[in-house]
Amino acid sequence: MEELIKQIIELEWDFFQTTKNEGGTASCQEDYPTFVIMRTAQFSCFTKELLESWLSDLRQAKEEGRNLIAEKYGRMMESTAPEQYKEISFYFPQHNKERLAITEEIIKIQVGWLEECQKEYPVVLSKARLIHTSEDTPYNTSAETYLRGELGTYSDHTLMLYGRYIVALKKEGKNLNKMICEKQVQSYGYVSLADAEEKSK
């Protein structure tokens, strides 16, 4: 698992470095340690099968000359910068109605999970992205919009695996977003989310 995650992060970082940002290089593009912490926290909560599928997507994209990180941020602009999005949307693979419906069902579950996290750990979550697409601005992208952009770059196979994983977690009463947040705060030295919440007050 660790080697899979390492390979994924290396490819994503390479894509991230060549992603053009309006106004020049963004500060986050120069912060490799934080990038590693955030992506490792997410991927360490994935299944091996899901990681292998996403790594395959990244490798195939590289061979085809596509930059999935640039596509992810481009897709987010549908909400944050709709006029600019119209000018670039034809560059991205278009998804059929069935896939879009599946994506929105996944997002609905995860937005609910984020809302649960916010209620339980309001101080910690106050430092995170806003949750809802309705809160987007040209300079502030919500977690919902970010997720929609990221899922939009997954292959059909990876999205299918991800969707099944999300449904399985929900049936087990687990919260993927809480699991990821837990990993993130532990990377900064906290024992748990509860510990981070208490010490951040």
Side-chain angles (χ1 to χ4, degrees):
M1 291 279 282
E2 285 184 16
E3 183 57 32
L4 271 174
I5 292 171
K6 182 181 177 183
Q7 291 176 44
I8 288 170
I9 289 174
E10 284 177 357
L11 276 170
E12 286 195 343
W13 180 252
D14 287 344
F15 283 143
F16 196 31
Q17 292 306 289
T18 57
T19 297
K20 294 179 181 178
N21 180 60
E22 190 173 342
T25 303
S27 59
C28 55
Q29 288 177 286
E30 299 175 348
D31 191 354
Y32 182 68
T34 299
F35 184 87
V36 171
I37 286 172
M38 295 298 134
R39 299 309 278 171
T40 299
Q42 177 173 330
F43 295 134
S44 62
C45 297
F46 281 14
T47 64
K48 184 171 183 282
E49 186 180 23
L50 183 51
L51 290 172
E52 289 172 340
S53 188
W54 177 231
L55 179 58
S56 177
D57 290 353
L58 290 165
R59 286 173 172 167
Q60 184 174 342
K62 187 174 182 179
E63 288 178 9
E64 295 172 353
R66 291 172 60 201
N67 182 334
L68 295 187
I69 301 301
E71 284 189 21
K72 172 171 69 175
Y73 284 99
R75 287 180 182 277
M76 293 181 208
M77 290 169 64
E78 184 173 10
S79 174
T80 60
E83 291 304 315
Q84 289 171 278
Y85 175 76
K86 289 177 185 176
E87 298 173 8
I88 62 172
S89 60
F90 64 89
Y91 286 114
F92 313 139
Q94 300 302 302
H95 302 314
N96 61 39
K97 290 182 179 179
E98 181 182 3
R99 175 177 166 131
L100 291 173
I102 291 169
T103 299
E104 291 306 312
E105 285 302 311
I106 292 170
I107 291 169
K108 184 179 178 181
I109 292 171
Q110 290 202 247
V111 165
W113 281 342
L114 282 166
E115 289 170 346
E116 288 176 15
C117 287
Q118 190 176 61
K119 288 178 182 176
E120 195 169 357
Y121 309 104
V123 179
V124 173
L125 268 291
S126 69
K127 300 177 178 67
R129 293 177 182 273
L130 296 171
I131 294 176
H132 306 97
T133 291
S134 59
E135 300 173 280
D136 283 343
T137 72
Y139 309 103
N140 199 336
T141 306
S142 66
E144 179 183 352
T145 296
Y146 185 95
L147 178 61
R148 188 172 288 113
E150 183 152 294
L151 295 181
T153 65
Y154 286 3
S155 65
D156 288 346
H157 182 253
T158 301
L159 184 70
M160 176 193 69
L161 291 175
Y162 188 81
R164 288 177 179 172
Y165 180 50
I166 294 298
V167 170
L169 288 175
K170 186 172 176 59
K171 285 181 179 177
E172 293 170 16
K174 295 179 180 177
N175 179 329
L176 177 61
N177 292 84
K178 182 177 179 178
M179 291 159 59
I180 293 170
C181 287
E182 195 91 54
K183 296 280 187 182
Q184 289 173 352
V185 299
Q186 287 171 349
S187 296
Y188 288 103
Y190 297 104
V191 176
S192 63
L193 267 172
D195 181 45
E197 180 73 13
E198 185 59 35
K199 290 178 179 176
S200 299
K201 290 179 180 177

